[in-house]
Amino acid sequence: MRTALPLACALFLWSAFAGCEGAAEPSRVTLPLRADASGLSPAESDLGYAVEITEAKLSVADFTFATPGELHTRWLRLTSVARAHPGHYEGGSVIGELRGRFVVDFMASEGTLGTATMLVGTYASANFRFETAEDDAAPPLAGHTALLRGRASRDDASVTFTFVVDAPAMRELVGAPFEATLTETSGGALGFRLLSYDPRSDATLFDGIDFFALDADEAGEIIVDPTSEGAASEAYFELRRRLLAHDFYDVRHLPEE
Amino acid sequence: MKLYYFLSALVLALLASACGDDGDAEGTIVVTAYGEEFVEEGLTTDDGWDVQFDRFDVSFGGVSIADAIVTAATTVDVAVPSAGQGHEIGRVTVPTGTYDDARFTITRVAIEGRAQKDGVEKRFALAFDDAVSYSLCETSTRVRKGAEARFEITIHADHLFFDSRASAEPNLLFQALADADADDDDVITEDELEAAGLGAYDPGSDGADIDNLWDYLERLITEIGHADGEAHCVATRIVD
């Protein structure tokens, strides 16, 4: 007893000094994460094109979910905190995750990616990493990051489009909105959305892209990919910049119906 | 039994040491601004441009540490060689202890320099007026009795040439800036940078609104402040 007491006191003080890292592990809840097409409504771009997306696929990996506030590296047995550089401090502490590689088909009716493990708490943001789809993915996505197909119309004329986009290697997307408070009894699912329109900035995914100008042969079909040149290359990077921005994604908690 | 007492005493001693204070004893914190060799000696970008800075003025709106104001406002040309020591911008005498509360504000950055490649020289003289407050730096300054400690505000000038705000290992490029010289008079201006698209540059997850090189540089310049070398700080743009 005489020997145990001082050590217990010291360990108690040490624990307190270390920020109570040894405290009981927080409660957690598991929720399926699924693709959610509700963000891909037709939208009018800044150049007046009515853009309808008919196919949207994205190769991603390793979702993490974070609390509000600045990034801190406290906790976690569940996951570690990745740190963007130089895009510093775009989220709080990571307290939820879904690891693995996924090809997200936003228009598919059944798009469950996996089961996310989430600590009970208040969330503010979601993060993930862009990937390159494996060669066994359906072309033209195979070997690339994103595929967007659809139709752009203006003044009674229209073109169909196919954009194939590559993200830089190991490119993380940090800070997609995910505003939710999860409890031990939270049910339903998490919905991962690509947004054709960002209401916060009043911008659309295809702003700045002059579809008709890209249809040089007036065939009514344009294909833009990483090998495109000239105006098509500019359009490619214009779209890529938005596809790599957190403005055009969010995650929602979808309670049980 | 002795081992337990020893361990307990050791832990308590560590705790006391970490808390830092030593009665009324005091020491000095010398605060410096250092632009690293990138600024003082120049750098070669990954696409082969040799960049030299004639001037790299960093204006500080206020610097504090250990609850003490180091300087209210000052401007330092971090392009002036300092033999790796940086430029002193102030010092404060404070109680002994360990401090992690350094804060500083950069109100303006004005740069002037030139880049050369294959016999071509492009000059630039640019000023960035977005004020940025840096705090919660991931470093601490230990002040011992009667001794001098250092807190260095490190200016990462090489970030100005990053081709990505998102990559952990961005390329250091100048060609896009050189190409922005639309009138080919070998002087790169703010207007020309504003008219130049980003091309393959990646402005980051929060960069959807950045669509020209001037806006891109303006954003990069708000991220050049670090502490004690590589320590990050929380950078907050101050909006008028």
Side-chain angles (χ1 to χ4, degrees):
Chain A
M1 183 68 182
R2 283 195 309 156
T3 58
L5 186 59
L7 182 59
C9 289
L11 289 176
F12 172 78
L13 287 170
W14 180 259
S15 171
F17 182 73
C20 298
E21 293 285 348
E25 201 167 325
S27 301
R28 59 183 70 191
V29 60
T30 57
L31 293 170
L33 177 67
R34 70 185 191 210
D36 181 346
S38 65
L40 293 175
S41 306
E44 184 173 319
S45 75
D46 62 339
L47 298 182
Y49 288 98
V51 181
E52 179 187 4
I53 296 172
T54 57
E55 184 175 6
K57 291 179 179 173
L58 188 66
S59 179
V60 296
D62 295 341
F63 288 88
T64 58
F65 306 94
T67 62
E70 306 296 351
L71 188 66
H72 297 293
T73 51
R74 64 178 177 82
W75 198 59
L76 292 171
R77 195 173 303 168
L78 182 65
T79 184
S80 60
V81 175
R83 176 136 197 198
H85 181 85
H88 307 166
Y89 294 105
E90 295 183 84
S93 299
V94 171
I95 59 171
E97 67 174 359
L98 171 59
R99 297 287 174 184
R101 293 174 60 128
F102 312 97
V103 172
V104 184
D105 183 349
F106 288 98
M107 309 306 259
S109 56
E110 294 184 11
T112 297
L113 306 177
T115 301
T117 303
M118 315 290 286
L119 292 191
V120 165
T122 298
Y123 289 81
S125 64
N127 317 301
F128 57 86
R129 190 177 67 251
F130 292 100
E131 278 291 341
T132 299
E134 303 284 358
D135 289 341
D136 58 357
L141 182 63
H144 301 284
T145 302
L147 167 65
L148 293 176
R149 282 188 166 124
R151 175 175 295 275
S153 308
R154 189 175 70 183
D155 301 332
D156 298 327
S158 66
V159 295
T160 60
F161 62 80
T162 299
F163 280 88
V164 178
V165 177
D166 287 347
M170 302 299 288
R171 173 64 153 82
E172 294 187 2
L173 186 133
V174 182
F178 171 43
E179 295 180 1
T181 298
L182 300 179
T183 69
E184 289 177 64
T185 59
S186 292
L190 302 176
F192 173 47
R193 301 198 301 174
L194 172 64
L195 307 175
S196 56
Y197 172 69
D198 171 33
R200 292 172 294 272
S201 60
D202 191 29
T204 78
L205 200 52
F206 291 95
D207 278 359
I209 296 176
D210 190 346
F211 290 92
F212 292 168
L214 298 176
D215 185 23
D217 59 3
E218 298 184 349
E221 180 182 9
I222 58 174
I223 299 174
V224 177
D225 64 25
T227 66
S228 295
E229 297 178 347
S233 176
E234 291 178 18
Y236 170 82
F237 285 117
E238 187 88 22
L239 176 64
R240 190 188 78 156
R241 180 163 52 84
R242 292 197 176 84
L243 269 180
L244 299 180
H246 59 209
D247 303 47
F248 293 97
Y249 299 91
D250 70 11
V251 174
R252 301 186 303 162
H253 179 218
L254 308 169
E256 285 175 302
E257 296 175 357
Chain B
M1 182 185 299
K2 285 181 179 176
L3 179 62
Y4 282 116
Y5 279 113
F6 172 75
L7 287 173
S8 303
L10 179 63
V11 169
L12 290 169
L14 282 170
L15 285 170
S17 163
C19 293
D21 215 322
D22 184 18
D24 294 330
E26 293 183 328
T28 302
I29 300 177
V30 179
V31 179
T32 59
Y34 179 45
E36 302 181 305
E37 61 271 26
F38 299 119
V39 175
E40 296 186 357
E41 300 169 16
L43 59 92
T44 300
T45 60
D46 293 332
D47 52 1
W49 286 85
D50 293 318
V51 182
Q52 295 286 332
F53 291 101
D54 301 321
R55 182 169 66 98
F56 202 111
D57 288 342
V58 181
S59 298
F60 295 97
V63 179
S64 68
I65 189 169
D67 255 344
I69 295 172
V70 178
T71 178
T74 189
T75 296
V76 178
D77 180 0
V78 294
V80 174
S82 69
Q85 296 303 302
H87 304 272
E88 182 176 329
I89 60 176
R91 56 177 61 208
V92 287
T93 301
V94 298
T96 55
T98 301
Y99 299 97
D100 61 1
D101 65 340
R103 304 176 65 94
F104 56 97
T105 300
I106 295 177
T107 57
R108 188 170 198 266
V109 176
I111 62 174
E112 199 171 329
R114 65 200 69 219
Q116 295 177 317
K117 180 183 178 183
D118 299 335
V120 175
E121 180 175 280
K122 299 288 183 182
R123 284 168 284 133
F124 54 86
L126 305 166
F128 305 91
D129 291 309
D130 278 349
V132 181
S133 168
Y134 294 88
S135 61
L136 298 174
C137 301
E138 295 175 338
T139 186
S140 60
T141 306
R142 182 80 185 273
V143 178
R144 298 178 190 277
K145 184 178 180 180
E148 277 188 2
R150 285 170 57 91
F151 174 75
E152 177 188 284
I153 299 172
T154 315
I155 304 300
H156 287 195
D158 56 325
H159 287 203
L160 279 175
F161 305 108
F162 279 1
D163 68 343
S164 170
R165 290 183 59 242
S167 172
E169 295 179 359
N171 295 304
L172 219 59
L173 303 179
F174 190 84
Q175 190 62 50
L177 303 179
D179 292 343
D181 178 23
D183 62 7
D184 213 20
D185 67 348
D186 293 333
V187 178
I188 304 165
T189 66
E190 177 181 336
D191 288 344
E192 288 173 327
L193 291 167
E194 245 175 8
L198 280 185
Y201 277 29
D202 181 355
S205 295
D206 63 347
D209 60 333
I210 301 173
D211 62 0
N212 65 72
L213 281 176
W214 175 254
D215 287 353
Y216 183 74
L217 289 179
E218 274 199 314
R219 195 66 65 91
L220 286 179
I221 208 84
T222 66
E223 297 162 351
I224 62 171
H226 289 65
D228 289 340
E230 295 298 324
H232 291 167
C233 308
V234 174
T236 307
R237 292 173 78 181
I238 300 171
V239 180
D240 291 333

